Amino acid sequence: MRHNKKFNHLSRTADHRRAMLANMAISLIMHKRITTTLAKAKALKMFVEPLITRSKDDTTHSRRVVFGHLQNKEAIKELYGVVAPKVGDRPGGYTRIIKLGTRQGDAAEIAFIELVDFDENMAKASKAAKKTRRSRKSSAPKAEAPVAETEAPATEEKAE
């Protein structure tokens, strides 16, 4: 019976699944964004978010617990040195999944999974969206005079 086994097994044995998720988590921590299938991205999100939460408390015990899952010293250094200070004030939701469409060969759904605080493009877009409002007037005057000057000589040349 499969009582209380709701997570996606990804058609793999437990050891294979654990190793694959650990490798993907290491890649995500080191590169901040990876491309994979949608099912693997959702499984990775459930795997890596508790590790990031654990890394916000930098103690020997928490480092050993995370190392037990990842088994990679460089990834642990990156997680505790770069990622954890940046997500320290965030209460959760450290990753974002963006669907990309389907893969050509087998029509599998492909998606990005990325660390939220490390995406510069989304940060710029959200800042720009916060600045613009419909009721606010533009403070810079429009430059229509130079446009008229450039058009005037062009019409004189056509007239000659």
Side-chain angles (χ1 to χ4, degrees):
M1 291 191 195
R2 55 175 312 275
H3 294 299
N4 201 19
K5 297 180 181 179
K6 287 189 173 183
F7 65 92
N8 192 347
H9 295 280
L10 300 172
S11 299
R12 287 164 171 81
T13 62
D15 291 334
H16 185 185
R17 186 173 53 252
R18 191 175 302 118
M20 182 193 65
L21 289 174
N23 287 334
M24 290 174 66
I26 291 167
S27 296
L28 180 64
I29 291 166
M30 298 303 285
H31 301 291
K32 311 301 185 271
R33 173 191 278 186
I34 59 173
T35 305
T36 183
T37 62
L38 185 62
K40 287 180 188 175
K42 288 179 179 179
L44 179 61
K45 184 172 188 160
M46 288 182 6
F47 181 83
V48 79
E49 291 212 0
L51 299 180
I52 296 172
T53 301
R54 176 73 70 165
S55 72
K56 289 169 28 173
D57 179 31
D58 191 5
T59 62
T60 305
H61 177 67
S62 69
R63 280 182 178 261
R64 287 178 177 169
V65 168
V66 174
F67 186 77
H69 289 282
L70 297 182
Q71 298 288 321
N72 187 316
K73 288 182 183 179
E74 289 79 23
I76 300 297
K77 288 178 189 174
E78 183 81 11
L79 180 62
Y80 279 88
V82 179
V83 176
K86 202 158 187 179
V87 300
D89 57 341
R90 184 178 286 275
Y94 311 111
T95 58
R96 174 188 302 128
I97 296 175
I98 301 171
K99 295 180 185 179
L100 298 176
T102 56
R103 189 163 47 199
Q104 181 79 25
D106 59 354
E109 293 186 50
I110 300 296
F112 274 140
I113 181 166
E114 62 186 0
L115 296 175
V116 172
D117 292 328
F118 290 91
D119 187 16
E120 297 85 19
N121 297 333
M122 293 296 275
K124 289 177 185 175
S126 65
K127 287 179 183 177
K130 290 179 184 176
K131 289 181 181 178
T132 58
R133 285 182 42 189
R134 290 185 181 184
S135 63
R136 196 178 294 169
K137 301 277 182 174
S138 169
S139 61
K142 293 183 180 178
E144 291 184 13
V147 175
E149 291 174 5
T150 56
E151 290 178 3
T155 55
E156 290 175 7
E157 291 175 7
K158 289 181 182 177
E160 292 177 21

